[in-house]
Amino acid sequence: MQLNLSTPIGKGRHRQCYAHPANQNLCIKIVHSLAHGGDKELNRELKYYRHLQARTINWDILPRYHGQVATDQGTGYVYDLVRDYNGDVSRDLGFYLNLGQQENNFAWLTPLLAMLRLQLAQNRIVTMTLKPGNILVKRISQDQAILVIVDNIGEASLIPAASYIPYFYAKKMTRIWRRFMQLLEKYGYNAPLAITRADKKQLHSWPAQSTPALPAPAHR
Ligand SMILES: Nc1ncnc2c1ncn2[C@@H]1O[C@H](COP(=O)(O)OP(=O)(O)OP(=O)(O)O)[C@@H](O)[C@H]1O
Ligand SMILES: [Mg+2]
């Protein structure tokens, strides 16, 4: 498969993400750097994907993994490409956080975070460090959005206790969310992440409710 002429959709520390040349709903990730254990990371993620595929989870908040393909850039790993309702590739949370900071508008963020946290817990999905660049804001209609995690799922420990034991799940994810909320403070977002009864109720009809207006770039 030829990827060398297409511009990547995104680039992280060790992977490059391209649109699939033959299917607009898929993307292909290539490991471009073995620094920071790029290949190890990938193997860990694929192992975790196998674990999730063997269970029944809600795939709304994670792109599905579709296996490997050979490309001119080396082995490619195929995932769902996250797109907004209008076909645009979804922007990452960092993009909206920067705009939110400029506009001092974070009303949209709290319900999205609450739903992500509840969805992860309900599906017993573990993550490593949560970062704005690894979370996409998927606009599912003109006034609705959900968060999708595209990177850093699973756990690094030899014995993945958090994946199997509710007590360790809660302990680990409380720590991960606390750190993530501290990171968000750097953007001027200070709401504590308290899950309300109303949030829990919304989980049943999720994602039916509308999202407070997202900050919009001046021209788009
Ligand atoms: N499934 C996807 N749909 C749309 N865009 C994506 C998808 N996966 C990744 N991206 C984009 O590509 C970028 C790089 O992908 P990814 O985070 O997987 O790379 P990475 O090298 O593993 O990242 P990191 O530096 O966080 O380890 C993301 O920040 C995101 O903007
Ligand atoms: Mg990343």
Side-chain angles (χ1 to χ4, degrees), residues 10 12-15 17 27 29 80-82 133-134 136 150-151:
R13 278 175 314 158
H14 41 262
R15 292 193 293 191
C17 180
C27 67
K29 293 192 187 185
D80 289 336
L81 171 51
V82 182
N134 292 333
L136 302 186
V150 297
D151 187 16

Side-chain angles (χ1 to χ4, degrees), residues 116-132:
L116 178 65
R117 188 167 177 183
L118 285 171
Q119 279 295 332
L120 286 172
Q122 177 158 305
N123 292 283
R124 219 174 355 103
I125 296 167
V126 193
T127 68
M128 314 265 283
T129 315
L130 287 171
K131 289 182 205 153

Side-chain angles (χ1 to χ4, degrees), residues 139-200:
R139 307 183 54 190
I140 57 171
S141 75
Q142 208 152 23
D143 61 355
Q144 291 171 298
I146 62 172
L147 299 180
V148 177
I149 302 197
V150 297
D151 187 16
N152 255 351
I153 57 165
E155 53 186 322
S157 31
L158 211 52
I159 301 163
S163 298
Y164 295 101
I165 302 163
Y167 170 78
F168 289 112
Y169 180 90
K171 210 169 138 175
K172 180 183 167 80
M173 290 311 284
T174 299
R175 191 174 68 234
I176 298 272
W177 277 94
R178 197 190 306 123
R179 287 210 200 114
F180 185 44
M181 299 314 279
Q182 279 165 3
L183 195 66
L184 295 184
E185 283 175 19
K186 298 206 175 91
Y187 294 87
Y189 176 75
N190 281 304
L193 187 59
I195 301 290
T196 64
R197 263 227 185 117
D199 290 331
K200 285 192 182 155

